[in-house]
Amino acid sequence: MITVISGTNRQGSATLKFANHITNELREKTYEPVELLSLEDLPMSTFTPDMYANQPKAIAKIQDEKLLPAEKFIIVTPEYNGSIPGVVKLLIDACSVRQLKATFTGKKAALFGVASGRAGNLRGMEHLTAMLHHVGVTVHPNRLPISGIDKILNESGEVAEENTKKAVSDLIDAFLAY
């Protein structure tokens, strides 16, 4: 199974629209099951100091259904203050209290960064790569920064820019062969 993670809890985000594009393309290119995990759906009330001693049911459900069965992850993260949204780090932390190795170790990930600015979250993808390496995930060497996300998506929220579509398709192909 491949799990695509839309790495923000911001409602109506361009990140989720972009993650949907990736999910749809993956489903066209592979017979493997593909799941989408939108962190928009994650109740923020699950993130409390107690989550390290007593994993919240919402986190356990995500871990059991979307992370543990996955062999590969595609993570799409927007740029927030020069890095990734804190909710991505909180999810990794919350899943580290139960079955850390089974959840992450030996699995593979591809990273897409999205930003309205010029860098496409390059710095954030570096930070996320370090975190994923720490928990045992191997990150594909080609990470794709998407700049000007607001200009790439059309009014319907679909990726409309042909060069971006090709770059996404090429990375998906490389990741499926990885």
Side-chain angles (χ1 to χ4, degrees), residues 25-45:
E25 186 158 338
L26 273 168
R27 288 178 176 152
E28 291 175 9
K29 292 184 172 203
T30 185
Y31 292 108
E32 290 182 66
V34 177
E35 292 288 328
L36 175 63
L37 169 57
S38 172
L39 300 186
E40 285 183 16
D41 301 329
L42 191 60
M44 287 308 294
S45 61

PDB file of all heavy atoms in Angstrom, residues 25-45:
ATOM      1  N   GLU A  25      -3.286  10.135  -9.832  1.00  0.00           N
ATOM      2  CA  GLU A  25      -2.289   9.644 -10.794  1.00  0.00           C
ATOM      3  C   GLU A  25      -1.712   8.303 -10.347  1.00  0.00           C
ATOM      4  O   GLU A  25      -1.524   7.400 -11.162  1.00  0.00           O
ATOM      5  CB  GLU A  25      -1.185  10.671 -11.006  1.00  0.00           C
ATOM      6  CG  GLU A  25      -0.244  10.223 -12.103  1.00  0.00           C
ATOM      7  CD  GLU A  25       0.532  11.343 -12.750  1.00  0.00           C
ATOM      8  OE1 GLU A  25       0.113  12.518 -12.692  1.00  0.00           O
ATOM      9  OE2 GLU A  25       1.575  11.023 -13.335  1.00  0.00           O
ATOM     10  N   LEU A  26      -1.438   8.172  -9.062  1.00  0.00           N
ATOM     11  CA  LEU A  26      -0.947   6.887  -8.546  1.00  0.00           C
ATOM     12  C   LEU A  26      -1.935   5.761  -8.836  1.00  0.00           C
ATOM     13  O   LEU A  26      -1.543   4.669  -9.252  1.00  0.00           O
ATOM     14  CB  LEU A  26      -0.721   6.968  -7.040  1.00  0.00           C
ATOM     15  CG  LEU A  26       0.620   7.463  -6.555  1.00  0.00           C
ATOM     16  CD1 LEU A  26       0.553   7.752  -5.064  1.00  0.00           C
ATOM     17  CD2 LEU A  26       1.721   6.480  -6.862  1.00  0.00           C
ATOM     18  N   ARG A  27      -3.209   6.019  -8.606  1.00  0.00           N
ATOM     19  CA  ARG A  27      -4.232   5.000  -8.825  1.00  0.00           C
ATOM     20  C   ARG A  27      -4.321   4.587 -10.288  1.00  0.00           C
ATOM     21  O   ARG A  27      -4.701   3.462 -10.588  1.00  0.00           O
ATOM     22  CB  ARG A  27      -5.586   5.486  -8.302  1.00  0.00           C
ATOM     23  CG  ARG A  27      -5.618   5.500  -6.782  1.00  0.00           C
ATOM     24  CD  ARG A  27      -6.922   6.010  -6.222  1.00  0.00           C
ATOM     25  NE  ARG A  27      -6.922   5.899  -4.766  1.00  0.00           N
ATOM     26  CZ  ARG A  27      -7.607   6.680  -3.959  1.00  0.00           C
ATOM     27  NH1 ARG A  27      -8.394   7.629  -4.450  1.00  0.00           N
ATOM     28  NH2 ARG A  27      -7.539   6.507  -2.654  1.00  0.00           N
ATOM     29  N   GLU A  28      -3.961   5.488 -11.194  1.00  0.00           N
ATOM     30  CA  GLU A  28      -3.939   5.150 -12.619  1.00  0.00           C
ATOM     31  C   GLU A  28      -2.705   4.346 -12.994  1.00  0.00           C
ATOM     32  O   GLU A  28      -2.732   3.598 -13.970  1.00  0.00           O
ATOM     33  CB  GLU A  28      -3.980   6.430 -13.464  1.00  0.00           C
ATOM     34  CG  GLU A  28      -5.293   7.164 -13.403  1.00  0.00           C
ATOM     35  CD  GLU A  28      -5.255   8.497 -14.150  1.00  0.00           C
ATOM     36  OE1 GLU A  28      -4.254   8.776 -14.856  1.00  0.00           O
ATOM     37  OE2 GLU A  28      -6.216   9.264 -14.015  1.00  0.00           O
ATOM     38  N   LYS A  29      -1.621   4.480 -12.223  1.00  0.00           N
ATOM     39  CA  LYS A  29      -0.336   3.891 -12.604  1.00  0.00           C
ATOM     40  C   LYS A  29       0.023   2.605 -11.876  1.00  0.00           C
ATOM     41  O   LYS A  29       0.991   1.956 -12.246  1.00  0.00           O
ATOM     42  CB  LYS A  29       0.786   4.912 -12.382  1.00  0.00           C
ATOM     43  CG  LYS A  29       0.731   6.076 -13.320  1.00  0.00           C
ATOM     44  CD  LYS A  29       1.917   6.994 -13.128  1.00  0.00           C
ATOM     45  CE  LYS A  29       1.911   8.038 -14.221  1.00  0.00           C
ATOM     46  NZ  LYS A  29       3.219   8.600 -14.455  1.00  0.00           N
ATOM     47  N   THR A  30      -0.702   2.251 -10.828  1.00  0.00           N
ATOM     48  CA  THR A  30      -0.326   1.068 -10.059  1.00  0.00           C
ATOM     49  C   THR A  30      -1.562   0.296  -9.632  1.00  0.00           C
ATOM     50  O   THR A  30      -2.648   0.864  -9.506  1.00  0.00           O
ATOM     51  CB  THR A  30       0.513   1.451  -8.818  1.00  0.00           C
ATOM     52  OG1 THR A  30       0.954   0.255  -8.177  1.00  0.00           O
ATOM     53  CG2 THR A  30      -0.257   2.306  -7.841  1.00  0.00           C
ATOM     54  N   TYR A  31      -1.344  -0.992  -9.422  1.00  0.00           N
ATOM     55  CA  TYR A  31      -2.412  -1.831  -8.884  1.00  0.00           C
ATOM     56  C   TYR A  31      -2.358  -1.886  -7.366  1.00  0.00           C
ATOM     57  O   TYR A  31      -3.247  -2.443  -6.737  1.00  0.00           O
ATOM     58  CB  TYR A  31      -2.323  -3.254  -9.464  1.00  0.00           C
ATOM     59  CG  TYR A  31      -2.633  -3.298 -10.931  1.00  0.00           C
ATOM     60  CD1 TYR A  31      -1.643  -3.518 -11.868  1.00  0.00           C
ATOM     61  CD2 TYR A  31      -3.942  -3.097 -11.377  1.00  0.00           C
ATOM     62  CE1 TYR A  31      -1.935  -3.538 -13.219  1.00  0.00           C
ATOM     63  CE2 TYR A  31      -4.242  -3.113 -12.729  1.00  0.00           C
ATOM     64  CZ  TYR A  31      -3.231  -3.343 -13.645  1.00  0.00           C
ATOM     65  OH  TYR A  31      -3.532  -3.351 -14.975  1.00  0.00           O
ATOM     66  N   GLU A  32      -1.300  -1.307  -6.782  1.00  0.00           N
ATOM     67  CA  GLU A  32      -1.204  -1.263  -5.324  1.00  0.00           C
ATOM     68  C   GLU A  32      -2.332  -0.394  -4.767  1.00  0.00           C
ATOM     69  O   GLU A  32      -2.705   0.603  -5.374  1.00  0.00           O
ATOM     70  CB  GLU A  32       0.124  -0.634  -4.882  1.00  0.00           C
ATOM     71  CG  GLU A  32       1.346  -1.463  -5.140  1.00  0.00           C
ATOM     72  CD  GLU A  32       2.590  -0.756  -4.619  1.00  0.00           C
ATOM     73  OE1 GLU A  32       2.689  -0.606  -3.381  1.00  0.00           O
ATOM     74  OE2 GLU A  32       3.435  -0.366  -5.426  1.00  0.00           O
ATOM     75  N   PRO A  33      -2.837  -0.748  -3.600  1.00  0.00           N
ATOM     76  CA  PRO A  33      -3.811   0.149  -2.971  1.00  0.00           C
ATOM     77  C   PRO A  33      -3.152   1.493  -2.646  1.00  0.00           C
ATOM     78  O   PRO A  33      -1.995   1.535  -2.233  1.00  0.00           O
ATOM     79  CB  PRO A  33      -4.213  -0.575  -1.689  1.00  0.00           C
ATOM     80  CG  PRO A  33      -3.744  -1.980  -1.854  1.00  0.00           C
ATOM     81  CD  PRO A  33      -2.609  -1.963  -2.833  1.00  0.00           C
ATOM     82  N   VAL A  34      -3.893   2.564  -2.866  1.00  0.00           N
ATOM     83  CA  VAL A  34      -3.413   3.915  -2.585  1.00  0.00           C
ATOM     84  C   VAL A  34      -4.428   4.571  -1.650  1.00  0.00           C
ATOM     85  O   VAL A  34      -5.615   4.618  -1.944  1.00  0.00           O
ATOM     86  CB  VAL A  34      -3.267   4.748  -3.876  1.00  0.00           C
ATOM     87  CG1 VAL A  34      -2.830   6.171  -3.554  1.00  0.00           C
ATOM     88  CG2 VAL A  34      -2.284   4.083  -4.840  1.00  0.00           C
ATOM     89  N   GLU A  35      -3.940   5.058  -0.516  1.00  0.00           N
ATOM     90  CA  GLU A  35      -4.788   5.724   0.475  1.00  0.00           C
ATOM     91  C   GLU A  35      -4.348   7.175   0.603  1.00  0.00           C
ATOM     92  O   GLU A  35      -3.158   7.483   0.524  1.00  0.00           O
ATOM     93  CB  GLU A  35      -4.650   5.053   1.847  1.00  0.00           C
ATOM     94  CG  GLU A  35      -5.224   3.665   1.910  1.00  0.00           C
ATOM     95  CD  GLU A  35      -6.740   3.648   1.885  1.00  0.00           C
ATOM     96  OE1 GLU A  35      -7.354   4.604   2.408  1.00  0.00           O
ATOM     97  OE2 GLU A  35      -7.292   2.687   1.339  1.00  0.00           O
ATOM     98  N   LEU A  36      -5.309   8.057   0.814  1.00  0.00           N
ATOM     99  CA  LEU A  36      -5.012   9.462   1.073  1.00  0.00           C
ATOM    100  C   LEU A  36      -5.295   9.755   2.538  1.00  0.00           C
ATOM    101  O   LEU A  36      -6.374   9.436   3.042  1.00  0.00           O
ATOM    102  CB  LEU A  36      -5.877  10.367   0.182  1.00  0.00           C
ATOM    103  CG  LEU A  36      -5.741  11.875   0.433  1.00  0.00           C
ATOM    104  CD1 LEU A  36      -4.325  12.370   0.141  1.00  0.00           C
ATOM    105  CD2 LEU A  36      -6.753  12.638  -0.416  1.00  0.00           C
ATOM    106  N   LEU A  37      -4.327  10.345   3.206  1.00  0.00           N
ATOM    107  CA  LEU A  37      -4.486  10.791   4.584  1.00  0.00           C
ATOM    108  C   LEU A  37      -4.384  12.309   4.598  1.00  0.00           C
ATOM    109  O   LEU A  37      -3.319  12.869   4.331  1.00  0.00           O
ATOM    110  CB  LEU A  37      -3.396  10.183   5.477  1.00  0.00           C
ATOM    111  CG  LEU A  37      -3.272  10.742   6.894  1.00  0.00           C
ATOM    112  CD1 LEU A  37      -4.570  10.625   7.665  1.00  0.00           C
ATOM    113  CD2 LEU A  37      -2.125  10.052   7.627  1.00  0.00           C
ATOM    114  N   SER A  38      -5.496  12.965   4.863  1.00  0.00           N
ATOM    115  CA  SER A  38      -5.511  14.416   4.970  1.00  0.00           C
ATOM    116  C   SER A  38      -5.462  14.793   6.442  1.00  0.00           C
ATOM    117  O   SER A  38      -6.341  14.410   7.216  1.00  0.00           O
ATOM    118  CB  SER A  38      -6.773  14.991   4.332  1.00  0.00           C
ATOM    119  OG  SER A  38      -6.854  16.372   4.617  1.00  0.00           O
ATOM    120  N   LEU A  39      -4.452  15.543   6.806  1.00  0.00           N
ATOM    121  CA  LEU A  39      -4.340  15.966   8.197  1.00  0.00           C
ATOM    122  C   LEU A  39      -5.379  17.013   8.564  1.00  0.00           C
ATOM    123  O   LEU A  39      -5.525  17.351   9.735  1.00  0.00           O
ATOM    124  CB  LEU A  39      -2.920  16.440   8.503  1.00  0.00           C
ATOM    125  CG  LEU A  39      -1.827  15.375   8.297  1.00  0.00           C
ATOM    126  CD1 LEU A  39      -0.477  15.896   8.770  1.00  0.00           C
ATOM    127  CD2 LEU A  39      -2.169  14.061   8.964  1.00  0.00           C
ATOM    128  N   GLU A  40      -6.158  17.485   7.567  1.00  0.00           N
ATOM    129  CA  GLU A  40      -7.309  18.349   7.861  1.00  0.00           C
ATOM    130  C   GLU A  40      -8.329  17.617   8.725  1.00  0.00           C
ATOM    131  O   GLU A  40      -9.055  18.234   9.490  1.00  0.00           O
ATOM    132  CB  GLU A  40      -8.038  18.751   6.570  1.00  0.00           C
ATOM    133  CG  GLU A  40      -7.363  19.770   5.732  1.00  0.00           C
ATOM    134  CD  GLU A  40      -8.205  20.144   4.517  1.00  0.00           C
ATOM    135  OE1 GLU A  40      -9.426  19.851   4.480  1.00  0.00           O
ATOM    136  OE2 GLU A  40      -7.639  20.731   3.592  1.00  0.00           O
ATOM    137  N   ASP A  41      -8.391  16.292   8.552  1.00  0.00           N
ATOM    138  CA  ASP A  41      -9.386  15.487   9.254  1.00  0.00           C
ATOM    139  C   ASP A  41      -8.968  15.103  10.669  1.00  0.00           C
ATOM    140  O   ASP A  41      -9.744  14.496  11.401  1.00  0.00           O
ATOM    141  CB  ASP A  41      -9.677  14.208   8.462  1.00  0.00           C
ATOM    142  CG  ASP A  41     -10.183  14.513   7.063  1.00  0.00           C
ATOM    143  OD1 ASP A  41     -10.844  15.557   6.884  1.00  0.00           O
ATOM    144  OD2 ASP A  41      -9.916  13.714   6.149  1.00  0.00           O
ATOM    145  N   LEU A  42      -7.767  15.444  11.039  1.00  0.00           N
ATOM    146  CA  LEU A  42      -7.237  15.060  12.337  1.00  0.00           C
ATOM    147  C   LEU A  42      -7.687  16.053  13.406  1.00  0.00           C
ATOM    148  O   LEU A  42      -7.382  17.241  13.317  1.00  0.00           O
ATOM    149  CB  LEU A  42      -5.717  15.035  12.266  1.00  0.00           C
ATOM    150  CG  LEU A  42      -4.958  14.425  13.403  1.00  0.00           C
ATOM    151  CD1 LEU A  42      -5.345  12.961  13.599  1.00  0.00           C
ATOM    152  CD2 LEU A  42      -3.470  14.507  13.119  1.00  0.00           C
ATOM    153  N   PRO A  43      -8.428  15.604  14.399  1.00  0.00           N
ATOM    154  CA  PRO A  43      -8.861  16.538  15.438  1.00  0.00           C
ATOM    155  C   PRO A  43      -7.666  17.023  16.259  1.00  0.00           C
ATOM    156  O   PRO A  43      -6.894  16.217  16.775  1.00  0.00           O
ATOM    157  CB  PRO A  43      -9.817  15.717  16.303  1.00  0.00           C
ATOM    158  CG  PRO A  43      -9.752  14.322  15.834  1.00  0.00           C
ATOM    159  CD  PRO A  43      -8.905  14.256  14.606  1.00  0.00           C
ATOM    160  N   MET A  44      -7.510  18.328  16.340  1.00  0.00           N
ATOM    161  CA  MET A  44      -6.381  18.886  17.087  1.00  0.00           C
ATOM    162  C   MET A  44      -6.456  18.558  18.572  1.00  0.00           C
ATOM    163  O   MET A  44      -5.447  18.579  19.266  1.00  0.00           O
ATOM    164  CB  MET A  44      -6.293  20.403  16.874  1.00  0.00           C
ATOM    165  CG  MET A  44      -5.793  20.773  15.479  1.00  0.00           C
ATOM    166  SD  MET A  44      -4.246  19.956  14.991  1.00  0.00           S
ATOM    167  CE  MET A  44      -3.094  20.654  16.142  1.00  0.00           C
ATOM    168  N   SER A  45      -7.633  18.196  19.038  1.00  0.00           N
ATOM    169  CA  SER A  45      -7.772  17.836  20.446  1.00  0.00           C
ATOM    170  C   SER A  45      -7.007  16.552  20.774  1.00  0.00           C
ATOM    171  O   SER A  45      -6.810  16.244  21.952  1.00  0.00           O
ATOM    172  CB  SER A  45      -9.250  17.674  20.799  1.00  0.00           C
ATOM    173  OG  SER A  45      -9.836  16.642  20.018  1.00  0.00           O
TER     174      SER A  45
END
